[in-house]
Amino acid sequence: MPENGSGDGIYFSLKEIGLILTLSALAALTGALVPSYFFPEGLLSEYVYGMLELPGPGAGVLVFGSILCFWLLLGLILVKKPGTAAAMAMVLIAIDLLFGNQAVIIQSLDVLFIVAIIIEAVCLFTAADPSWKYLLPLVLIMLSLVTLGIALLGLAKQGENDIPLVQFPTVYYVFGILGFCYAVICYRHPGKYFVAAGLANMYYLLHFWLFWGDGFASRFPSDPAMLSVLFLVALLGGIISASTVYGIEFLCKQYRLHGERRQRSS
């Protein structure tokens, strides 16, 4: 977890508060308004289940959960203070209550705060190189094997109604192979952001199954075999968002090092 920085406020400085508000606004814009603009009235579900040929329900977490994880992690690396992700989640909830259409659906809002707490906790309490982080490659391999096995056995399905996939399950193979690739990456370069975003996005999916429906746990896939596929989709979505954050963090470090070299040379 990034170390605390000094500031003008009690905890967050005015500059950091401005950054939190800006990142939260961008998260709300890209995570809700932009997808709603390009995919109005449930067209995103049709795209995910139709063109991507993914099972359901909950495959949309590949978009919404991954975007949320990206902005929360980006806030952590830019502000460099514990509590940043939680503060951003509170701002996002406030934005949705003020301008969104979910003001009375509390279970659709508290997931933002829980995801932020998961990211904060993993980043805060993860030691330099704990052995438990190597469980991530193992989980990726297991979920990928199940997904590829489903595709090979011709058991692939799409949509929330478990429609058998008659065409070649290309996306199943893509996610299965991608899972193996990231298993190698996470084994060779274990990182807390991979674990944080992957775990948080998997919880986002679980929260959807438990609370977003006509009753408690009413949204679970009717075919238990699809659980592994959807968990792999959610896990990879979080890991890909974390990869982007690692890239931004690397560029920021290179920029700072370049500035320090110029100062020493001048």
Side-chain angles (χ1 to χ4, degrees):
M1 187 69 166
E3 296 180 357
N4 290 349
S6 59
D8 301 323
I10 297 176
Y11 183 69
F12 293 115
S13 68
L14 294 178
K15 179 181 178 181
E16 290 164 347
I17 292 174
L19 187 57
I20 288 173
L21 293 175
T22 301
L23 292 175
S24 299
L26 290 173
L29 181 66
T30 57
L33 296 180
V34 172
S36 298
Y37 176 80
F38 286 104
F39 302 99
E41 299 181 359
L43 289 182
L44 179 60
S45 297
E46 295 182 14
Y47 174 77
V48 171
Y49 298 138
M51 294 189 65
L52 294 184
E53 301 171 356
L54 287 173
V61 72
L62 177 65
V63 177
F64 295 108
S66 302
I67 291 174
L68 175 63
C69 291
F70 167 78
W71 289 109
L72 294 178
L73 283 174
L74 184 62
L76 282 176
I77 71 167
L78 295 180
V79 177
K80 304 182 185 301
K81 283 186 179 179
T84 300
M88 288 180 60
M90 296 301 293
V91 175
L92 282 170
I93 292 174
I95 291 174
D96 205 313
L97 289 172
L98 289 171
F99 306 107
N101 57 1
Q102 302 183 122
V104 296
I105 309 177
I106 302 303
Q107 65 265 32
S108 66
L109 296 178
D110 61 4
V111 65
L112 304 177
F113 188 71
I114 297 174
V115 166
I117 292 300
I118 292 173
I119 289 176
E120 292 270 10
V122 173
C123 291
L124 185 61
F125 296 109
T126 301
D129 191 23
S131 58
W132 68 267
K133 283 200 299 185
Y134 292 96
L135 288 175
L136 181 59
L138 179 61
V139 172
L140 280 167
I141 290 173
M142 292 175 60
L143 292 177
S144 298
L145 283 173
V146 173
T147 299
L148 291 174
I150 290 173
L152 289 170
L153 294 174
L155 301 176
K157 297 180 180 180
Q158 68 179 120
E160 297 190 10
N161 297 320
D162 290 332
I163 302 173
L165 194 62
V166 294
Q167 59 266 41
F168 186 77
T170 305
V171 176
Y172 279 68
Y173 285 104
V174 169
F175 276 103
I177 295 172
L178 188 62
F180 280 112
C181 294
Y182 262 109
V184 175
I185 294 172
C186 293
Y187 178 78
R188 293 180 60 87
H189 306 283
K192 59 187 178 184
Y193 297 159
F194 289 142
V195 181
L199 184 61
N201 214 27
M202 291 176 73
Y203 174 78
Y204 193 108
L205 177 62
L206 179 62
H207 191 100
F208 173 83
W209 288 336
L210 290 175
F211 300 111
W212 287 348
D214 297 330
F216 180 75
S218 64
R219 297 286 286 172
F220 273 92
S222 56
D223 185 353
M226 297 301 105
L227 292 172
S228 297
V229 179
L230 289 168
F231 270 130
L232 178 63
V233 169
L235 181 57
L236 286 174
I239 291 175
I240 291 171
S241 68
S243 301
T244 306
V245 172
Y246 271 120
I248 294 174
E249 186 178 47
F250 174 78
L251 292 176
C252 291
K253 289 180 179 178
Q254 293 300 310
Y255 179 78
R256 287 196 297 267
L257 289 174
H258 180 69
E260 292 174 358
R261 294 193 191 100
R262 290 186 61 182
Q263 288 181 352
R264 286 195 297 265
S265 61
S266 59

